[in-house]
Amino acid sequence: MLSALLLLLAVPARADAFPDPFPQSTQEASVEIESPGHLVLFSPVREINDEIRSETMARLPVTGEGRLYQLARDATRREARDHYLRGLQEEGARILFECENVRCGRSVIWANRVFGQAVLNGRDSEQDYLVAVSEDGDGARWLTLVYTVTRGNLRDYVWVEHLRVQPEAVIPGLAEASRRVLGPWVVPWQGEVTYRFDWHATDRRRIRELAEQPGALVVLAGFSALAPDESYESARARAEAALTSLSEVLARTGVSRDRQRLIVVGPGIALSDPERQGNRIEIVVIRR
């Protein structure tokens, strides 16, 4: 069951609507996209002998739009990325791939060869990319691509593509069986006897609504950071106590205990994702 915590998946929502722009940004360009073979990357980009290479990529039949935004000087790429990520999570979108900094490959390739937007050519150490899939109420699949970068002049840009994928197309990394698993919602926690949980009201509402579906299970995994000189057993016990506390919170808000499954992880699994570190509880909902 723990492997389910690594998945994000789409559910019927407003997947057909273009993502709301980050408030502290100005749209600079819009490009209509209609192609029988639009290039979408699901792994870092490389260039070999003047050809784009990526371990997982596809040319997909799509229709949609790309939009270029410049961020205000007092805004950050991280804030913009988090804005789009929250919107995708609220729609139940599944993240198929994401990367940061030099792990994405060279910015100049993303800018000129992948997106065709020279203004996106920035610092390899200050970029990030994600591609997510969601499904609208009619069963149509939508890909959302978000790329942010800082240029040499310190101005930040965001490129967003929102693409309807034709029904016959095969999207890499999208398995039919995974449509049953939604999440993870990452909930940081603090405390020792009483606990404070840092999560959005929209996340709580979404989990409660999903848990009401017949046969749904809510799986909670408790993680803890290993403090200096702390034993594994002590860190695991802290994670278990926080996990039990959040389970009680969910029960009081309408997610019955018989719908919940608790997994105590403690410090036993390390993830590279910077958003999934430290004391936290990760929640997924598994539908029948």
Side-chain angles (χ1 to χ4, degrees), residues 33 38-47 52-54 57-59 104 106-118 120 129 145 147 159 161:
I33 300 173
H38 186 67
L39 180 63
V40 180
L41 272 58
F42 301 86
S43 58
V45 67
R46 295 178 296 158
E47 189 175 43
I52 294 177
R53 301 289 180 88
S54 184
M57 61 183 185
R59 291 192 176 274
C104 295
R106 297 190 61 200
S107 174
V108 65
I109 305 175
W110 287 103
N112 295 324
R113 302 296 301 277
V114 179
F115 301 128
Q117 299 290 325
L120 295 173
Y129 169 76
L145 287 62
Y147 177 79
W159 173 256
E161 293 184 14

PDB file of all heavy atoms in Angstrom, residues 33 38-47 52-54 57-59 104 106-118 120 129 145 147 159 161:
ATOM      1  N   ILE A  33      -2.163  25.531 -30.040  1.00  0.00           N
ATOM      2  CA  ILE A  33      -1.444  24.292 -30.340  1.00  0.00           C
ATOM      3  C   ILE A  33      -2.435  23.268 -30.889  1.00  0.00           C
ATOM      4  O   ILE A  33      -3.397  22.896 -30.210  1.00  0.00           O
ATOM      5  CB  ILE A  33      -0.744  23.745 -29.089  1.00  0.00           C
ATOM      6  CG1 ILE A  33       0.277  24.750 -28.548  1.00  0.00           C
ATOM      7  CG2 ILE A  33      -0.065  22.400 -29.394  1.00  0.00           C
ATOM      8  CD1 ILE A  33       0.898  24.345 -27.218  1.00  0.00           C
ATOM      9  N   HIS A  38       2.603  16.461 -31.265  1.00  0.00           N
ATOM     10  CA  HIS A  38       3.210  17.478 -30.409  1.00  0.00           C
ATOM     11  C   HIS A  38       4.175  16.804 -29.434  1.00  0.00           C
ATOM     12  O   HIS A  38       3.843  15.818 -28.771  1.00  0.00           O
ATOM     13  CB  HIS A  38       2.125  18.223 -29.644  1.00  0.00           C
ATOM     14  CG  HIS A  38       2.642  19.374 -28.840  1.00  0.00           C
ATOM     15  ND1 HIS A  38       3.173  20.496 -29.403  1.00  0.00           N
ATOM     16  CD2 HIS A  38       2.696  19.562 -27.479  1.00  0.00           C
ATOM     17  CE1 HIS A  38       3.534  21.347 -28.461  1.00  0.00           C
ATOM     18  NE2 HIS A  38       3.259  20.803 -27.279  1.00  0.00           N
ATOM     19  N   LEU A  39       5.385  17.344 -29.333  1.00  0.00           N
ATOM     20  CA  LEU A  39       6.415  16.746 -28.491  1.00  0.00           C
ATOM     21  C   LEU A  39       6.165  17.057 -27.016  1.00  0.00           C
ATOM     22  O   LEU A  39       6.058  18.218 -26.628  1.00  0.00           O
ATOM     23  CB  LEU A  39       7.799  17.264 -28.895  1.00  0.00           C
ATOM     24  CG  LEU A  39       8.985  16.718 -28.104  1.00  0.00           C
ATOM     25  CD1 LEU A  39       9.126  15.208 -28.295  1.00  0.00           C
ATOM     26  CD2 LEU A  39      10.274  17.437 -28.515  1.00  0.00           C
ATOM     27  N   VAL A  40       6.089  16.011 -26.207  1.00  0.00           N
ATOM     28  CA  VAL A  40       5.948  16.142 -24.760  1.00  0.00           C
ATOM     29  C   VAL A  40       6.997  15.257 -24.113  1.00  0.00           C
ATOM     30  O   VAL A  40       7.119  14.071 -24.444  1.00  0.00           O
ATOM     31  CB  VAL A  40       4.547  15.730 -24.276  1.00  0.00           C
ATOM     32  CG1 VAL A  40       4.442  15.885 -22.759  1.00  0.00           C
ATOM     33  CG2 VAL A  40       3.468  16.559 -24.972  1.00  0.00           C
ATOM     34  N   LEU A  41       7.757  15.826 -23.182  1.00  0.00           N
ATOM     35  CA  LEU A  41       8.822  15.096 -22.508  1.00  0.00           C
ATOM     36  C   LEU A  41       8.379  14.657 -21.122  1.00  0.00           C
ATOM     37  O   LEU A  41       7.748  15.423 -20.383  1.00  0.00           O
ATOM     38  CB  LEU A  41      10.079  15.956 -22.386  1.00  0.00           C
ATOM     39  CG  LEU A  41      11.067  15.904 -23.567  1.00  0.00           C
ATOM     40  CD1 LEU A  41      10.395  16.310 -24.866  1.00  0.00           C
ATOM     41  CD2 LEU A  41      12.271  16.781 -23.290  1.00  0.00           C
ATOM     42  N   PHE A  42       8.739  13.406 -20.778  1.00  0.00           N
ATOM     43  CA  PHE A  42       8.417  12.828 -19.476  1.00  0.00           C
ATOM     44  C   PHE A  42       9.688  12.421 -18.731  1.00  0.00           C
ATOM     45  O   PHE A  42       9.654  11.565 -17.840  1.00  0.00           O
ATOM     46  CB  PHE A  42       7.508  11.612 -19.666  1.00  0.00           C
ATOM     47  CG  PHE A  42       6.210  11.929 -20.366  1.00  0.00           C
ATOM     48  CD1 PHE A  42       6.137  11.943 -21.756  1.00  0.00           C
ATOM     49  CD2 PHE A  42       5.063  12.229 -19.645  1.00  0.00           C
ATOM     50  CE1 PHE A  42       4.956  12.235 -22.412  1.00  0.00           C
ATOM     51  CE2 PHE A  42       3.875  12.521 -20.288  1.00  0.00           C
ATOM     52  CZ  PHE A  42       3.819  12.526 -21.677  1.00  0.00           C
ATOM     53  N   SER A  43      10.804  13.046 -19.085  1.00  0.00           N
ATOM     54  CA  SER A  43      12.098  12.806 -18.454  1.00  0.00           C
ATOM     55  C   SER A  43      13.018  13.947 -18.852  1.00  0.00           C
ATOM     56  O   SER A  43      12.674  14.750 -19.740  1.00  0.00           O
ATOM     57  CB  SER A  43      12.668  11.448 -18.881  1.00  0.00           C
ATOM     58  OG  SER A  43      12.804  11.382 -20.282  1.00  0.00           O
ATOM     59  N   PRO A  44      14.189  14.074 -18.243  1.00  0.00           N
ATOM     60  CA  PRO A  44      15.089  15.194 -18.561  1.00  0.00           C
ATOM     61  C   PRO A  44      15.467  15.227 -20.044  1.00  0.00           C
ATOM     62  O   PRO A  44      15.508  14.200 -20.720  1.00  0.00           O
ATOM     63  CB  PRO A  44      16.316  14.915 -17.675  1.00  0.00           C
ATOM     64  CG  PRO A  44      15.772  14.119 -16.537  1.00  0.00           C
ATOM     65  CD  PRO A  44      14.703  13.254 -17.119  1.00  0.00           C
ATOM     66  N   VAL A  45      15.751  16.432 -20.512  1.00  0.00           N
ATOM     67  CA  VAL A  45      16.059  16.620 -21.926  1.00  0.00           C
ATOM     68  C   VAL A  45      17.568  16.601 -22.147  1.00  0.00           C
ATOM     69  O   VAL A  45      18.354  17.026 -21.292  1.00  0.00           O
ATOM     70  CB  VAL A  45      15.464  17.949 -22.448  1.00  0.00           C
ATOM     71  CG1 VAL A  45      16.156  19.145 -21.817  1.00  0.00           C
ATOM     72  CG2 VAL A  45      15.535  18.017 -23.969  1.00  0.00           C
ATOM     73  N   ARG A  46      17.973  16.076 -23.312  1.00  0.00           N
ATOM     74  CA  ARG A  46      19.368  16.112 -23.744  1.00  0.00           C
ATOM     75  C   ARG A  46      19.382  16.450 -25.231  1.00  0.00           C
ATOM     76  O   ARG A  46      18.342  16.403 -25.902  1.00  0.00           O
ATOM     77  CB  ARG A  46      20.046  14.758 -23.533  1.00  0.00           C
ATOM     78  CG  ARG A  46      20.178  14.321 -22.081  1.00  0.00           C
ATOM     79  CD  ARG A  46      20.816  12.943 -22.009  1.00  0.00           C
ATOM     80  NE  ARG A  46      19.945  11.949 -22.639  1.00  0.00           N
ATOM     81  CZ  ARG A  46      20.354  10.769 -23.117  1.00  0.00           C
ATOM     82  NH1 ARG A  46      21.651  10.465 -23.079  1.00  0.00           N
ATOM     83  NH2 ARG A  46      19.511   9.920 -23.635  1.00  0.00           N
ATOM     84  N   GLU A  47      20.536  16.770 -25.726  1.00  0.00           N
ATOM     85  CA  GLU A  47      20.707  17.011 -27.156  1.00  0.00           C
ATOM     86  C   GLU A  47      21.963  16.286 -27.609  1.00  0.00           C
ATOM     87  O   GLU A  47      23.061  16.528 -27.092  1.00  0.00           O
ATOM     88  CB  GLU A  47      20.813  18.512 -27.453  1.00  0.00           C
ATOM     89  CG  GLU A  47      20.770  18.832 -28.935  1.00  0.00           C
ATOM     90  CD  GLU A  47      20.754  20.331 -29.175  1.00  0.00           C
ATOM     91  OE1 GLU A  47      21.522  21.046 -28.495  1.00  0.00           O
ATOM     92  OE2 GLU A  47      19.988  20.783 -30.041  1.00  0.00           O
ATOM     93  N   ILE A  52      17.031  16.099 -30.246  1.00  0.00           N
ATOM     94  CA  ILE A  52      16.512  16.062 -28.879  1.00  0.00           C
ATOM     95  C   ILE A  52      16.426  14.612 -28.426  1.00  0.00           C
ATOM     96  O   ILE A  52      15.901  13.753 -29.140  1.00  0.00           O
ATOM     97  CB  ILE A  52      15.123  16.719 -28.796  1.00  0.00           C
ATOM     98  CG1 ILE A  52      15.216  18.212 -29.085  1.00  0.00           C
ATOM     99  CG2 ILE A  52      14.508  16.506 -27.419  1.00  0.00           C
ATOM    100  CD1 ILE A  52      13.874  18.898 -29.098  1.00  0.00           C
ATOM    101  N   ARG A  53      16.954  14.359 -27.242  1.00  0.00           N
ATOM    102  CA  ARG A  53      16.873  13.025 -26.658  1.00  0.00           C
ATOM    103  C   ARG A  53      16.284  13.127 -25.252  1.00  0.00           C
ATOM    104  O   ARG A  53      16.574  14.067 -24.515  1.00  0.00           O
ATOM    105  CB  ARG A  53      18.247  12.374 -26.582  1.00  0.00           C
ATOM    106  CG  ARG A  53      18.949  12.219 -27.928  1.00  0.00           C
ATOM    107  CD  ARG A  53      18.304  11.157 -28.786  1.00  0.00           C
ATOM    108  NE  ARG A  53      18.998  11.028 -30.063  1.00  0.00           N
ATOM    109  CZ  ARG A  53      20.047  10.238 -30.266  1.00  0.00           C
ATOM    110  NH1 ARG A  53      20.550   9.533 -29.259  1.00  0.00           N
ATOM    111  NH2 ARG A  53      20.617  10.176 -31.456  1.00  0.00           N
ATOM    112  N   SER A  54      15.478  12.162 -24.917  1.00  0.00           N
ATOM    113  CA  SER A  54      14.900  12.069 -23.589  1.00  0.00           C
ATOM    114  C   SER A  54      14.527  10.613 -23.383  1.00  0.00           C
ATOM    115  O   SER A  54      14.041   9.948 -24.303  1.00  0.00           O
ATOM    116  CB  SER A  54      13.674  12.973 -23.450  1.00  0.00           C
ATOM    117  OG  SER A  54      13.156  12.956 -22.132  1.00  0.00           O
ATOM    118  N   MET A  57       9.716  10.168 -23.955  1.00  0.00           N
ATOM    119  CA  MET A  57       9.062  11.290 -24.619  1.00  0.00           C
ATOM    120  C   MET A  57       8.082  10.733 -25.630  1.00  0.00           C
ATOM    121  O   MET A  57       8.141   9.556 -26.008  1.00  0.00           O
ATOM    122  CB  MET A  57      10.070  12.226 -25.288  1.00  0.00           C
ATOM    123  CG  MET A  57      10.904  11.600 -26.372  1.00  0.00           C
ATOM    124  SD  MET A  57      12.110  12.799 -27.025  1.00  0.00           S
ATOM    125  CE  MET A  57      12.835  11.849 -28.370  1.00  0.00           C
ATOM    126  N   ALA A  58       7.158  11.567 -26.062  1.00  0.00           N
ATOM    127  CA  ALA A  58       6.145  11.123 -27.009  1.00  0.00           C
ATOM    128  C   ALA A  58       5.708  12.290 -27.879  1.00  0.00           C
ATOM    129  O   ALA A  58       5.731  13.444 -27.445  1.00  0.00           O
ATOM    130  CB  ALA A  58       4.937  10.535 -26.265  1.00  0.00           C
ATOM    131  N   ARG A  59       5.327  11.960 -29.092  1.00  0.00           N
ATOM    132  CA  ARG A  59       4.690  12.936 -29.982  1.00  0.00           C
ATOM    133  C   ARG A  59       3.211  12.568 -30.038  1.00  0.00           C
ATOM    134  O   ARG A  59       2.839  11.528 -30.587  1.00  0.00           O
ATOM    135  CB  ARG A  59       5.342  12.931 -31.361  1.00  0.00           C
ATOM    136  CG  ARG A  59       6.768  13.497 -31.320  1.00  0.00           C
ATOM    137  CD  ARG A  59       7.313  13.772 -32.703  1.00  0.00           C
ATOM    138  NE  ARG A  59       8.636  14.394 -32.651  1.00  0.00           N
ATOM    139  CZ  ARG A  59       8.848  15.696 -32.529  1.00  0.00           C
ATOM    140  NH1 ARG A  59       7.814  16.519 -32.449  1.00  0.00           N
ATOM    141  NH2 ARG A  59      10.078  16.183 -32.494  1.00  0.00           N
ATOM    142  N   CYS A 104      16.939  18.777 -14.840  1.00  0.00           N
ATOM    143  CA  CYS A 104      16.021  18.864 -15.984  1.00  0.00           C
ATOM    144  C   CYS A 104      16.758  18.806 -17.319  1.00  0.00           C
ATOM    145  O   CYS A 104      16.140  18.565 -18.355  1.00  0.00           O
ATOM    146  CB  CYS A 104      15.214  20.161 -15.930  1.00  0.00           C
ATOM    147  SG  CYS A 104      14.094  20.285 -14.527  1.00  0.00           S
ATOM    148  N   ARG A 106      19.468  20.998 -20.046  1.00  0.00           N
ATOM    149  CA  ARG A 106      19.866  22.365 -20.362  1.00  0.00           C
ATOM    150  C   ARG A 106      18.654  23.227 -20.694  1.00  0.00           C
ATOM    151  O   ARG A 106      17.801  22.854 -21.499  1.00  0.00           O
ATOM    152  CB  ARG A 106      20.850  22.375 -21.528  1.00  0.00           C
ATOM    153  CG  ARG A 106      22.171  21.656 -21.224  1.00  0.00           C
ATOM    154  CD  ARG A 106      23.172  21.922 -22.313  1.00  0.00           C
ATOM    155  NE  ARG A 106      23.461  23.351 -22.411  1.00  0.00           N
ATOM    156  CZ  ARG A 106      23.997  23.925 -23.490  1.00  0.00           C
ATOM    157  NH1 ARG A 106      24.278  23.199 -24.559  1.00  0.00           N
ATOM    158  NH2 ARG A 106      24.234  25.222 -23.498  1.00  0.00           N
ATOM    159  N   SER A 107      18.592  24.387 -20.065  1.00  0.00           N
ATOM    160  CA  SER A 107      17.479  25.309 -20.282  1.00  0.00           C
ATOM    161  C   SER A 107      17.357  25.726 -21.745  1.00  0.00           C
ATOM    162  O   SER A 107      16.247  25.875 -22.270  1.00  0.00           O
ATOM    163  CB  SER A 107      17.644  26.545 -19.396  1.00  0.00           C
ATOM    164  OG  SER A 107      16.660  27.511 -19.695  1.00  0.00           O
ATOM    165  N   VAL A 108      18.485  25.922 -22.415  1.00  0.00           N
ATOM    166  CA  VAL A 108      18.435  26.378 -23.811  1.00  0.00           C
ATOM    167  C   VAL A 108      17.707  25.379 -24.698  1.00  0.00           C
ATOM    168  O   VAL A 108      17.039  25.766 -25.672  1.00  0.00           O
ATOM    169  CB  VAL A 108      19.871  26.652 -24.334  1.00  0.00           C
ATOM    170  CG1 VAL A 108      20.697  25.368 -24.385  1.00  0.00           C
ATOM    171  CG2 VAL A 108      19.806  27.308 -25.705  1.00  0.00           C
ATOM    172  N   ILE A 109      17.793  24.090 -24.367  1.00  0.00           N
ATOM    173  CA  ILE A 109      17.091  23.082 -25.162  1.00  0.00           C
ATOM    174  C   ILE A 109      15.584  23.151 -24.899  1.00  0.00           C
ATOM    175  O   ILE A 109      14.774  23.098 -25.822  1.00  0.00           O
ATOM    176  CB  ILE A 109      17.634  21.678 -24.862  1.00  0.00           C
ATOM    177  CG1 ILE A 109      19.149  21.629 -25.072  1.00  0.00           C
ATOM    178  CG2 ILE A 109      16.958  20.645 -25.750  1.00  0.00           C
ATOM    179  CD1 ILE A 109      19.778  20.303 -24.683  1.00  0.00           C
ATOM    180  N   TRP A 110      15.209  23.275 -23.620  1.00  0.00           N
ATOM    181  CA  TRP A 110      13.785  23.431 -23.305  1.00  0.00           C
ATOM    182  C   TRP A 110      13.221  24.660 -24.023  1.00  0.00           C
ATOM    183  O   TRP A 110      12.136  24.595 -24.620  1.00  0.00           O
ATOM    184  CB  TRP A 110      13.586  23.601 -21.794  1.00  0.00           C
ATOM    185  CG  TRP A 110      13.778  22.367 -20.983  1.00  0.00           C
ATOM    186  CD1 TRP A 110      14.862  22.049 -20.217  1.00  0.00           C
ATOM    187  CD2 TRP A 110      12.861  21.270 -20.842  1.00  0.00           C
ATOM    188  NE1 TRP A 110      14.674  20.824 -19.609  1.00  0.00           N
ATOM    189  CE2 TRP A 110      13.471  20.337 -19.968  1.00  0.00           C
ATOM    190  CE3 TRP A 110      11.597  21.007 -21.364  1.00  0.00           C
ATOM    191  CZ2 TRP A 110      12.838  19.137 -19.608  1.00  0.00           C
ATOM    192  CZ3 TRP A 110      10.971  19.818 -21.008  1.00  0.00           C
ATOM    193  CH2 TRP A 110      11.581  18.898 -20.146  1.00  0.00           C
ATOM    194  N   ALA A 111      13.951  25.763 -23.976  1.00  0.00           N
ATOM    195  CA  ALA A 111      13.447  27.019 -24.534  1.00  0.00           C
ATOM    196  C   ALA A 111      13.282  26.948 -26.044  1.00  0.00           C
ATOM    197  O   ALA A 111      12.204  27.235 -26.588  1.00  0.00           O
ATOM    198  CB  ALA A 111      14.389  28.160 -24.149  1.00  0.00           C
ATOM    199  N   ASN A 112      14.356  26.572 -26.726  1.00  0.00           N
ATOM    200  CA  ASN A 112      14.364  26.692 -28.189  1.00  0.00           C
ATOM    201  C   ASN A 112      13.871  25.448 -28.913  1.00  0.00           C
ATOM    202  O   ASN A 112      13.185  25.560 -29.939  1.00  0.00           O
ATOM    203  CB  ASN A 112      15.785  27.029 -28.666  1.00  0.00           C
ATOM    204  CG  ASN A 112      16.236  28.387 -28.177  1.00  0.00           C
ATOM    205  OD1 ASN A 112      15.450  29.315 -28.079  1.00  0.00           O
ATOM    206  ND2 ASN A 112      17.514  28.497 -27.840  1.00  0.00           N
ATOM    207  N   ARG A 113      14.198  24.277 -28.401  1.00  0.00           N
ATOM    208  CA  ARG A 113      13.888  23.062 -29.125  1.00  0.00           C
ATOM    209  C   ARG A 113      12.579  22.403 -28.685  1.00  0.00           C
ATOM    210  O   ARG A 113      11.919  21.744 -29.496  1.00  0.00           O
ATOM    211  CB  ARG A 113      15.037  22.058 -28.961  1.00  0.00           C
ATOM    212  CG  ARG A 113      16.405  22.550 -29.440  1.00  0.00           C
ATOM    213  CD  ARG A 113      16.402  22.795 -30.956  1.00  0.00           C
ATOM    214  NE  ARG A 113      16.069  21.586 -31.692  1.00  0.00           N
ATOM    215  CZ  ARG A 113      16.936  20.618 -31.999  1.00  0.00           C
ATOM    216  NH1 ARG A 113      18.209  20.732 -31.629  1.00  0.00           N
ATOM    217  NH2 ARG A 113      16.557  19.548 -32.666  1.00  0.00           N
ATOM    218  N   VAL A 114      12.215  22.565 -27.420  1.00  0.00           N
ATOM    219  CA  VAL A 114      11.000  21.918 -26.920  1.00  0.00           C
ATOM    220  C   VAL A 114       9.802  22.862 -26.990  1.00  0.00           C
ATOM    221  O   VAL A 114       8.766  22.535 -27.574  1.00  0.00           O
ATOM    222  CB  VAL A 114      11.193  21.408 -25.481  1.00  0.00           C
ATOM    223  CG1 VAL A 114       9.904  20.755 -24.966  1.00  0.00           C
ATOM    224  CG2 VAL A 114      12.350  20.406 -25.413  1.00  0.00           C
ATOM    225  N   PHE A 115       9.944  24.063 -26.419  1.00  0.00           N
ATOM    226  CA  PHE A 115       8.812  24.987 -26.337  1.00  0.00           C
ATOM    227  C   PHE A 115       8.803  26.042 -27.439  1.00  0.00           C
ATOM    228  O   PHE A 115       7.762  26.672 -27.672  1.00  0.00           O
ATOM    229  CB  PHE A 115       8.791  25.680 -24.975  1.00  0.00           C
ATOM    230  CG  PHE A 115       8.684  24.740 -23.813  1.00  0.00           C
ATOM    231  CD1 PHE A 115       9.573  24.807 -22.755  1.00  0.00           C
ATOM    232  CD2 PHE A 115       7.686  23.774 -23.771  1.00  0.00           C
ATOM    233  CE1 PHE A 115       9.480  23.947 -21.680  1.00  0.00           C
ATOM    234  CE2 PHE A 115       7.576  22.900 -22.700  1.00  0.00           C
ATOM    235  CZ  PHE A 115       8.483  22.977 -21.648  1.00  0.00           C
ATOM    236  N   GLY A 116       9.934  26.282 -28.095  1.00  0.00           N
ATOM    237  CA  GLY A 116       9.970  27.303 -29.138  1.00  0.00           C
ATOM    238  C   GLY A 116       9.791  28.703 -28.605  1.00  0.00           C
ATOM    239  O   GLY A 116       9.214  29.553 -29.284  1.00  0.00           O
ATOM    240  N   GLN A 117      10.301  28.959 -27.405  1.00  0.00           N
ATOM    241  CA  GLN A 117      10.180  30.277 -26.783  1.00  0.00           C
ATOM    242  C   GLN A 117      11.562  30.692 -26.293  1.00  0.00           C
ATOM    243  O   GLN A 117      11.992  30.323 -25.199  1.00  0.00           O
ATOM    244  CB  GLN A 117       9.183  30.241 -25.608  1.00  0.00           C
ATOM    245  CG  GLN A 117       7.776  29.864 -25.979  1.00  0.00           C
ATOM    246  CD  GLN A 117       7.103  30.955 -26.789  1.00  0.00           C
ATOM    247  OE1 GLN A 117       7.331  32.148 -26.568  1.00  0.00           O
ATOM    248  NE2 GLN A 117       6.248  30.561 -27.723  1.00  0.00           N
ATOM    249  N   ALA A 118      12.273  31.471 -27.105  1.00  0.00           N
ATOM    250  CA  ALA A 118      13.666  31.815 -26.803  1.00  0.00           C
ATOM    251  C   ALA A 118      13.804  32.545 -25.479  1.00  0.00           C
ATOM    252  O   ALA A 118      14.845  32.443 -24.810  1.00  0.00           O
ATOM    253  CB  ALA A 118      14.249  32.663 -27.936  1.00  0.00           C
ATOM    254  N   LEU A 120      12.690  31.836 -22.755  1.00  0.00           N
ATOM    255  CA  LEU A 120      12.805  30.890 -21.649  1.00  0.00           C
ATOM    256  C   LEU A 120      14.230  30.377 -21.449  1.00  0.00           C
ATOM    257  O   LEU A 120      14.474  29.588 -20.536  1.00  0.00           O
ATOM    258  CB  LEU A 120      11.868  29.696 -21.879  1.00  0.00           C
ATOM    259  CG  LEU A 120      10.364  29.996 -21.880  1.00  0.00           C
ATOM    260  CD1 LEU A 120       9.585  28.762 -22.299  1.00  0.00           C
ATOM    261  CD2 LEU A 120       9.897  30.488 -20.519  1.00  0.00           C
ATOM    262  N   TYR A 129      10.337  21.870 -14.068  1.00  0.00           N
ATOM    263  CA  TYR A 129       9.376  21.420 -15.084  1.00  0.00           C
ATOM    264  C   TYR A 129       8.507  20.332 -14.482  1.00  0.00           C
ATOM    265  O   TYR A 129       8.980  19.511 -13.681  1.00  0.00           O
ATOM    266  CB  TYR A 129      10.135  20.875 -16.289  1.00  0.00           C
ATOM    267  CG  TYR A 129       9.291  20.128 -17.308  1.00  0.00           C
ATOM    268  CD1 TYR A 129       8.466  20.806 -18.201  1.00  0.00           C
ATOM    269  CD2 TYR A 129       9.345  18.738 -17.388  1.00  0.00           C
ATOM    270  CE1 TYR A 129       7.715  20.117 -19.143  1.00  0.00           C
ATOM    271  CE2 TYR A 129       8.598  18.044 -18.329  1.00  0.00           C
ATOM    272  CZ  TYR A 129       7.781  18.735 -19.202  1.00  0.00           C
ATOM    273  OH  TYR A 129       7.030  18.053 -20.141  1.00  0.00           O
ATOM    274  N   LEU A 145       1.527  21.169 -18.812  1.00  0.00           N
ATOM    275  CA  LEU A 145       2.972  21.294 -18.684  1.00  0.00           C
ATOM    276  C   LEU A 145       3.283  22.660 -18.075  1.00  0.00           C
ATOM    277  O   LEU A 145       2.735  23.676 -18.525  1.00  0.00           O
ATOM    278  CB  LEU A 145       3.668  21.196 -20.040  1.00  0.00           C
ATOM    279  CG  LEU A 145       3.763  19.840 -20.749  1.00  0.00           C
ATOM    280  CD1 LEU A 145       2.397  19.263 -21.091  1.00  0.00           C
ATOM    281  CD2 LEU A 145       4.580  19.977 -22.031  1.00  0.00           C
ATOM    282  N   TYR A 147       6.627  25.023 -16.933  1.00  0.00           N
ATOM    283  CA  TYR A 147       8.082  25.204 -16.907  1.00  0.00           C
ATOM    284  C   TYR A 147       8.369  26.603 -16.387  1.00  0.00           C
ATOM    285  O   TYR A 147       7.805  27.580 -16.875  1.00  0.00           O
ATOM    286  CB  TYR A 147       8.660  25.041 -18.311  1.00  0.00           C
ATOM    287  CG  TYR A 147      10.152  25.268 -18.408  1.00  0.00           C
ATOM    288  CD1 TYR A 147      11.051  24.275 -18.023  1.00  0.00           C
ATOM    289  CD2 TYR A 147      10.669  26.468 -18.874  1.00  0.00           C
ATOM    290  CE1 TYR A 147      12.425  24.472 -18.107  1.00  0.00           C
ATOM    291  CE2 TYR A 147      12.043  26.682 -18.966  1.00  0.00           C
ATOM    292  CZ  TYR A 147      12.911  25.675 -18.573  1.00  0.00           C
ATOM    293  OH  TYR A 147      14.266  25.876 -18.658  1.00  0.00           O
ATOM    294  N   TRP A 159       6.112  29.116 -18.468  1.00  0.00           N
ATOM    295  CA  TRP A 159       5.456  28.651 -19.695  1.00  0.00           C
ATOM    296  C   TRP A 159       4.491  27.536 -19.306  1.00  0.00           C
ATOM    297  O   TRP A 159       4.859  26.581 -18.627  1.00  0.00           O
ATOM    298  CB  TRP A 159       6.483  28.128 -20.689  1.00  0.00           C
ATOM    299  CG  TRP A 159       5.885  27.485 -21.916  1.00  0.00           C
ATOM    300  CD1 TRP A 159       5.802  26.151 -22.190  1.00  0.00           C
ATOM    301  CD2 TRP A 159       5.272  28.149 -23.025  1.00  0.00           C
ATOM    302  NE1 TRP A 159       5.195  25.941 -23.403  1.00  0.00           N
ATOM    303  CE2 TRP A 159       4.859  27.150 -23.942  1.00  0.00           C
ATOM    304  CE3 TRP A 159       5.043  29.485 -23.327  1.00  0.00           C
ATOM    305  CZ2 TRP A 159       4.217  27.456 -25.148  1.00  0.00           C
ATOM    306  CZ3 TRP A 159       4.412  29.789 -24.529  1.00  0.00           C
ATOM    307  CH2 TRP A 159       4.006  28.788 -25.422  1.00  0.00           C
ATOM    308  N   GLU A 161       1.491  24.883 -20.853  1.00  0.00           N
ATOM    309  CA  GLU A 161       0.737  24.281 -21.943  1.00  0.00           C
ATOM    310  C   GLU A 161      -0.402  23.460 -21.356  1.00  0.00           C
ATOM    311  O   GLU A 161      -0.211  22.736 -20.379  1.00  0.00           O
ATOM    312  CB  GLU A 161       1.624  23.377 -22.809  1.00  0.00           C
ATOM    313  CG  GLU A 161       2.683  24.118 -23.596  1.00  0.00           C
ATOM    314  CD  GLU A 161       3.497  23.211 -24.514  1.00  0.00           C
ATOM    315  OE1 GLU A 161       3.065  22.053 -24.745  1.00  0.00           O
ATOM    316  OE2 GLU A 161       4.556  23.655 -24.992  1.00  0.00           O
TER     317      GLU A 161
END
